[in-house]
Amino acid sequence: MMADIPQIKDACASLGIGKMYPLLAAMLTSRPFDEIVERSRTGALEAGSGGGGGSDAGSSGDKEMIRGYAQKFIVDILQLLDAVPRQMLLSFKMNDCLRHIDYSLGSPSNTLVTAGTFAAKAVYDAERQQGRDKSRVKRIRDWLSYKKLMLRISAYEWLCWLRRRRGA
């Protein structure tokens, strides 16, 4: 959703899968990495055919593309799954379950927004728990960072809603 390549690289390095960052980003968003790079370059919230991952990744062309990438990169995917912390596997499964529920219900919700919201809250809560020893400035910086991220997620959700309303 944010398409911040340096931040994606840093996060993947902290997970111990630094060189596999393109694959992880593609798996989480169900978008090809070149689309993620394009969004990073342009600063757009969406790009490409289906736009933005989430529930939009449901067209037959997107499904074929994802199926083709999964077949092509199956060995790399298995290596990545073996390398990530076990908690990350739960995130993958949650993302998969949210997409399936969304598809089954025909709901217009964006699973990337849902997952991003809960992940941001969990990270902020964990930082707050660890932050008891942090300076007041660092705690304020963490809070502002969290609020900025939540604002971006809300703006993205609002833009998706607006696009659906225009199409209806």
Side-chain angles (χ1 to χ4, degrees):
M1 180 166 32
M2 301 307 170
D4 185 343
I5 302 303
Q7 198 168 27
I8 292 170
K9 286 180 180 179
D10 290 345
C12 288
S14 70
L15 290 171
I17 54 167
K19 292 182 181 180
M20 298 175 120
Y21 73 90
L23 182 59
L24 179 65
M27 287 172 61
L28 288 174
T29 61
S30 292
R31 308 301 322 151
F33 188 69
D34 56 345
E35 183 176 303
I36 296 167
V37 169
E38 178 65 17
R39 286 171 34 201
S40 176
R41 188 182 65 72
T42 63
L45 290 173
E46 295 185 5
S49 59
S55 60
D56 295 353
S59 75
S60 61
D62 284 345
K63 288 178 184 177
E64 282 301 314
M65 175 195 61
I66 292 167
R67 190 174 296 121
Y69 280 136
Q71 290 172 348
K72 182 177 179 181
F73 296 108
I74 187 68
V75 172
D76 295 325
I77 291 169
L78 291 173
Q79 287 174 343
L80 183 136
L81 292 174
D82 190 44
V84 297
R86 298 299 148 222
Q87 296 89 336
M88 191 72 182
L89 295 177
L90 290 173
S91 295
F92 288 138
K93 189 60 185 169
M94 178 196 68
N95 201 19
D96 181 48
C97 288
L98 286 172
R99 283 193 178 126
H100 179 73
I101 290 168
D102 184 52
Y103 177 77
S104 295
L105 296 175
S107 169
S109 68
N110 187 315
T111 58
L112 210 51
V113 168
T114 304
T117 300
F118 283 100
K121 175 87 170 105
V123 168
Y124 175 67
D125 288 346
E127 285 177 348
R128 259 191 18 216
Q129 291 296 328
Q130 296 171 352
R132 305 230 187 270
D133 302 336
K134 292 181 183 177
S135 70
R136 176 167 283 159
V137 172
K138 177 64 175 143
R139 288 192 311 255
I140 291 171
R141 192 177 305 138
D142 288 347
W143 180 79
L144 287 173
S145 177
Y146 169 70
K147 288 300 182 182
K148 178 183 172 187
L149 180 58
M150 294 307 292
L151 181 64
R152 289 182 75 180
I153 289 172
S154 295
Y156 176 76
E157 188 173 30
W158 184 79
L159 285 172
C160 290
W161 176 83
L162 190 61
R163 285 185 179 154
R164 279 193 308 271
R165 296 267 307 169
R166 279 190 196 161

